[in-house]
Amino acid sequence: MDVDVHENEDEEDELAKYKLDEYDQIGPQKSRLFSNIKGLTYYKDDEEDPYITLKEDDEEEEREQLQIYGTDNLLVVAKTEDEIPQLEIYVYDESAENIYVHHDFLLPSLPLCLEWLDFPPASSSSSSRGMGNFVAVGTFEPEIEIWSLDTVDGLFPDAILGRPDKSKRLQPDEEDQEGMGNAAKKKKKKKKKKPQKKEIDPHYHVDAVLSLSWNRTYRNLLASASADTTVKLWDLSRDVTSGDGDADSGGAIRSFQVHRDKVQAIQWNVKDPSVLLTGSYDRTVKTFDSRAPDSSVGAMLGADVEAVRWDPWEPHCFFVSLENGYVLNFDARTLSSDPAHSSSTRFTLFAHDGAVSALDVNPHIPGCLVTGGTDKTVKVWNVNESGGKRDVSLVTSRDLDVGKVFTAAWSPDDALTIAAGGSKGKLQIWDVGTNAGARKTLASKLKTANVTLKEKAGDGVVGVANDDEEDEEDEEDG
């Protein structure tokens, strides 16, 4: 039998090379992880490791998220969600067509009106700077709260105008409320206890605050309108936290009673900064100099007032929107000191099927209005004047899916951008310039005002997605 000698030699060489013939003789040995690697350095975290250059900085990331740029627009929204009243501050990035909630505050009562101002109250920590970013809030309570929008996690307002310690005495306490509830259960054997009458006080409101207006010329002045039928003037440079709430120690410096019922709307005249315009549930609109309120003039209307606006292009003229769907335009110089005397309007517009709850005048384009109503539509109007006659035409109308429209306002920066909110608790941004018909109708006025519209794709509406709507869409897709 032939044997391959070279094959046997190769097998012996491999056994010798890898010591396979001694494999069973090798005893157990201790080994360590990475024991054959020398110079290995351990670091307890990434911050100490010099080779990791992309450090994770939670504070820096949060700072970038809260950063507000010069091109951003801020919007303040008051809403009640799940019976929780709150303020939400939105950031609108026009270039990215994106809007989101930046931060929010919880309120003690249901909000009714808002007014932005840059004057810091005397009790504010930023009063020494002379400038700030604040919002005054009127609620169902008689007090006015002023919040700093520059504070992200604020728990309390910077100032409170009014006297909570006194105004709360006018409300029934818990024992009274319990007693009234028990009385109702006894089959009307006892009459319900009448709420205590709220006597008007010259230094603070005693009922809900329905409207606010900040004076942009005399920046320390804030005017308020209340359901207690009064209009009050507040000096924000006074410390409202001291004294007994009188005019010398933080209370209202003036109180005007020019109406017989709730005062629904108020606004300062920008061109004549001492003059106020007010509208009331007594179906009158009045304008007066705050230095001489007894010389007021006004007009009797056919319905309750919803909103009032001075015309920035004609300082003596103003608009009034009513509960019956009409918008009226008056010249204050033609009004009588006795509202019962008939006063002629410059023009009358039937704007909505229902109350015209929102009204604003375009600060960039003369004769351009926006209205919103309980019929859930937002409308843009064009007012042209020729030969002393005024022609009002509808430019465009849209249902922005905000429910009954509570507010609609022009952007102070963009000529044809509108922000609107309503009963659905939603905020929508509408760029009217994306509508071809609107661009054509307002072309001459845009040219005269040197306004150049930016070309944008889409339908011109930007809003915040509702969580409930997203869930419904996911269910439909599923």
Side-chain angles (χ1 to χ4, degrees), residues 91-272:
V91 173
Y92 172 52
D93 183 358
E94 182 184 4
S95 60
E97 295 188 354
N98 179 39
I99 184 170
Y100 60 93
V101 178
H102 187 268
H103 61 284
D104 55 17
F105 304 110
L106 295 180
L107 297 176
S109 183
L110 301 179
L112 295 174
C113 57
L114 300 175
E115 180 73 353
W116 179 87
L117 58 149
D118 68 15
F119 188 88
S123 57
S124 171
S125 59
S126 57
S127 59
S128 59
R129 298 199 300 266
M131 292 285 288
N133 191 21
F134 300 87
V135 62
V137 185
T139 70
F140 274 100
E141 300 296 330
E143 292 74 44
I144 303 166
E145 295 188 347
I146 300 180
W147 292 78
S148 172
L149 300 179
D150 297 327
T151 304
V152 175
D153 296 323
L155 297 177
F156 302 100
D158 285 44
I160 298 178
L161 307 180
R163 288 301 304 273
D165 56 333
K166 290 188 176 182
S167 58
K168 284 185 178 179
R169 296 177 189 172
L170 301 174
Q171 312 299 330
D173 56 24
E174 293 182 0
E175 293 182 0
D176 291 336
Q177 291 177 353
E178 184 179 356
M180 292 172 66
N182 293 335
K185 294 178 181 179
K186 293 182 179 179
K187 298 182 180 180
K188 300 183 179 180
K189 289 183 179 180
K190 294 182 180 180
K191 294 182 179 180
K192 291 183 178 180
K193 185 176 180 180
K194 293 183 179 179
Q196 185 177 354
K197 185 179 179 180
K198 301 175 181 179
E199 296 182 0
I200 295 175
D201 190 281
H203 304 305
Y204 54 87
H205 286 302
V206 295
D207 208 335
V209 179
L210 304 180
S211 184
L212 297 165
S213 182
W214 172 58
N215 196 311
R216 295 176 181 270
T217 302
Y218 305 111
R219 296 173 42 249
N220 60 308
L221 297 182
L222 179 70
S224 60
S226 172
D228 65 9
T229 74
T230 68
V231 170
K232 284 183 168 48
L233 190 59
W234 306 86
D235 185 355
L236 301 179
S237 63
R238 298 172 181 264
D239 187 359
V240 298
T241 61
S242 63
D244 297 326
D246 57 18
D248 295 328
S249 59
I253 59 175
R254 296 293 301 274
S255 181
F256 313 115
Q257 194 168 3
V258 295
H259 293 283
R260 293 178 289 103
D261 205 339
K262 300 179 180 69
V263 186
Q264 169 69 9
I266 188 170
Q267 190 183 37
W268 289 103
N269 190 322
V270 177
K271 303 296 183 181
D272 194 354

Side-chain angles (χ1 to χ4, degrees), residues 13 48 59 108 113 161 222 248 252 273 276 278 308 345 392 445 474:
D13 292 340
E48 296 184 0
E59 292 184 2
C113 57
L161 307 180
L222 179 70
D248 295 328
L276 279 166
T278 59
V308 296
T345 61
V392 185
K445 290 187 175 182
D474 293 339

Side-chain angles (χ1 to χ4, degrees), residues 12 47 71 107 117 135 279 318 391 398 408 417 419 436 445 477:
E12 292 177 0
E47 292 293 331
T71 56
L107 297 176
L117 58 149
V135 62
F318 61 86
D391 175 60
R398 187 160 187 171
T417 297
K445 290 187 175 182
D477 294 341

